[in-house]
Amino acid sequence: MSRPELTGHASLFYNEKEARKYDSSSRMVGIQREITERAIELLKLPSNRPSFILDVGCGSGLSGQVLEEHGHVWVGCDVSRDMLNMANERIERKREEAMGEGDSSKDDSDNDMNDNDDSNNDNNKGGTTTEEPSPGDLLHHDMGTGLPFRPASFDACISISALQWLCYSNTKEQIPKKRLTRFFSSLYQVLRRGARAVLQFYPESSEHAILISECAAKVGFAGGIVVDYPNSTK
């Protein structure tokens, strides 16, 4: 099977059909969950508070869902609008489910509050109802052009199965080394001091892995490459 990175730009490969196929595959969902759990483990985030996490190449939001389950707030960016549409559908479903549960809880409590209706009505005059914010936000963006966020915005960053796309060029203007350097330079800036980034990727060759590592080190990142499955052909 040919690598998807060899077929053209990610935004063209992950069209609506491929995005829905990806998002509905129980195999892919399981793999994404496993890798994201591993990334969270490596981030070593504080356990006593939620963290604000950047998800680069967030796709259909599978990794973001795992971040939410761990109590974190995230912003995801991806170059594929169709993948982001899938992620947005997931966020909207979750919001609707949460609102439905809230309405049900309100109905259950109405009878208990009948005796206090007059006082409650007085207290609620002029009040407003606010919708609970989503724990995830989305941005359509090509990571190879640099990340468009303010300095020191994020507590951590994850990227699942996306970084290897920067090792390929679809036009003569796209130079992998320059795109990787631009990405890592901007990532270094948007992370807070002491923050970690865990970027899982599938290099086609050892040369790609070395290129990624060198570009990260050049802009100030420490650490290295962790190989969880050394015998994998991917």
Side-chain angles (χ1 to χ4, degrees):
M1 178 180 177
S2 175
R3 294 179 64 98
E5 297 89 357
L6 297 174
T7 63
H9 198 271
S11 61
L12 299 177
F13 178 81
Y14 288 111
N15 53 31
E16 181 178 1
K17 179 181 178 181
E18 193 66 29
R20 292 196 177 277
K21 177 182 175 183
Y22 186 97
D23 192 68
S24 62
S25 167
S26 58
R27 175 178 171 273
M28 292 308 305
V29 171
I31 291 174
Q32 289 290 96
R33 171 171 292 277
E34 179 182 350
I35 296 174
T36 306
E37 292 282 1
R38 175 63 169 147
I40 293 173
E41 175 189 348
L42 291 171
L43 285 175
K44 300 184 183 300
L45 298 167
S47 58
N48 60 341
R49 61 176 176 82
S51 295
F52 188 36
I53 301 176
L54 174 62
D55 186 354
V56 179
C58 65
S60 62
L62 296 175
S63 47
Q65 183 174 339
V66 179
L67 292 175
E68 291 174 24
E69 292 170 3
H70 281 261
H72 302 301
V73 179
W74 60 284
V75 170
C77 64
D78 201 280
V79 74
S80 167
R81 289 189 183 276
D82 290 305
M83 278 293 213
L84 290 174
N85 287 339
M86 294 298 301
N88 193 55
E89 287 180 15
R90 174 176 284 104
I91 291 174
E92 288 300 321
R93 283 198 303 269
K94 185 167 185 178
R95 182 182 288 118
E96 290 172 2
E97 291 170 1
M99 292 178 67
E101 291 173 0
D103 291 342
S104 175
S105 176
K106 179 181 177 182
D107 291 341
D108 291 341
S109 63
D110 278 347
N111 291 334
D112 296 335
M113 299 176 66
N114 281 341
D115 292 341
N116 298 320
D117 276 350
D118 292 339
S119 60
N120 285 340
N121 287 338
D122 290 339
N123 291 335
N124 289 332
K125 285 179 180 178
T128 59
T129 301
T130 58
E131 184 177 327
E132 184 177 349
S134 167
D137 247 328
L138 304 171
L139 174 69
H140 178 242
H141 187 72
D142 179 359
M143 61 180 167
T145 63
L147 300 170
F149 304 105
R150 293 180 179 178
S153 294
F154 298 98
D155 298 313
C157 172
I158 67 168
S159 180
I160 309 300
S161 310
L163 188 59
Q164 69 272 4
W165 284 90
L166 293 186
C167 294
Y168 301 83
S169 58
N170 298 295
T171 65
K172 62 180 181 180
E173 290 81 15
Q174 290 186 347
I175 302 173
K177 186 174 182 179
K178 287 186 176 180
R179 284 168 58 78
L180 281 164
T181 300
R182 194 178 297 123
F183 164 70
F184 279 116
S185 179
S186 61
L187 177 59
Y188 192 87
Q189 293 178 16
V190 303
L191 290 175
R192 291 172 182 155
R193 178 180 286 273
R196 291 182 175 225
V198 176
L199 316 173
Q200 181 272 334
F201 60 96
Y202 296 109
E204 183 180 11
S205 64
S206 59
E207 287 78 10
H208 281 181
I210 292 171
L211 175 62
I212 289 172
S213 181
E214 287 180 345
C215 290
K218 182 179 179 180
V219 303
F221 280 102
I225 295 178
V226 176
V227 182
D228 278 346
Y229 302 101
N231 296 321
S232 173
T233 56
K234 295 183 180 180

